[in-house]
Amino acid sequence: MRPGATPDRATLRSSLLLQREQLAASPQAPAADAALARHLHAVLQRLEPQCLGVYWPIRCEFNPRSAIEGEAGMSRLAPMPALALPYCRRDPPQMQYRRWDGRPPTLRDEHGIPATGGPAVVPDVVVVPCVGYTRAGLRLGYGGGYFDRWLAAHPHATAVGVAWSFSEIDAAGFAAGPHDLPLMLIVTERGVVT
């Protein structure tokens, strides 16, 4: 890459995923995880979702269940919302949320990600995993556009991103595409970015 050039999305994504794996294997991981859980718990308590869309963590992602179930010295979310997990289809590429009972999923979606077979629901609040993010709330994901399409089809849903603070992307180096929609806020282990 030439000096001063900004990396393309694939290069940026690869670099951030590697950093995320390194964090997960580091001695700092438990403290970072607990801090992110506390911040997310506080945000969700304020939002009081009726139906909360979360995700099953893959590739060293933060596990949002710790913020919901009251781990790390926190109380359980009250009132406890109904929960839902994404289910992604390949053709056509689309995502829906399905009601989830909170138990480990026994089903996998068409991408092999753990999912649930519950009825389709539309959460009022969704927790969205971010590979990277900008201060303006734009998200870099895995590149499939599933969350982008779902959020575009459900503009009334409150979208809360979760990310590690090291994955903040300089807005000047991140060209937003027409499909990129800003999240309401991003929660990191250092606090809330709005």
Side-chain angles (χ1 to χ4, degrees):
M1 187 180 324
R2 67 184 190 283
T6 56
D8 62 33
R9 284 185 181 218
T11 302
L12 184 57
R13 184 178 294 114
S14 293
S15 173
L16 292 172
L17 287 171
L18 178 60
Q19 289 177 61
R20 189 163 77 187
E21 289 171 9
Q22 291 168 342
L23 172 65
S26 76
Q28 293 79 25
D33 214 59
L36 202 159
R38 282 192 306 276
H39 294 302
L40 180 58
H41 181 83
V43 166
L44 294 175
Q45 281 291 106
R46 284 194 305 272
L47 291 174
E48 296 183 347
Q50 298 297 306
C51 182
L52 177 62
V54 292
Y55 59 89
W56 191 261
I58 59 171
R59 302 182 75 178
C60 302
E61 288 174 335
F62 168 76
N63 187 345
R65 289 179 66 190
S66 59
I68 298 163
E69 295 174 353
E71 295 175 15
M74 297 173 291
S75 61
R76 188 176 174 94
L77 274 185
M80 186 65 173
L83 299 175
L85 282 177
Y87 185 94
C88 296
R89 297 188 186 282
R90 285 186 182 272
D91 190 23
Q94 64 182 13
M95 183 177 90
Q96 67 176 194
Y97 280 90
R98 292 180 175 182
R99 184 154 322 247
W100 178 43
D101 63 10
R103 292 185 292 198
T106 57
L107 193 70
R108 294 194 177 264
D109 70 12
E110 294 179 9
H111 286 277
I113 298 169
T116 181
V121 294
V122 178
D124 54 313
V125 176
V126 293
V127 177
V128 182
C130 302
V131 173
Y133 68 96
T134 69
R135 285 250 160 214
L138 295 176
R139 168 187 176 268
L140 176 69
Y142 291 107
Y146 287 92
F147 281 101
D148 296 319
R149 284 188 291 277
W150 191 91
L151 292 170
H154 302 89
H156 64 281
T158 300
V160 177
V162 291
W164 300 112
S165 59
F166 69 77
S167 64
E168 182 177 345
I169 303 166
D170 180 11
F174 186 76
H179 62 281
D180 289 317
L181 299 172
L183 305 174
M184 183 186 88
L185 53 88
I186 310 283
V187 181
T188 77
E189 78 282 10
R190 293 188 179 167
V192 177
V193 178
T194 54

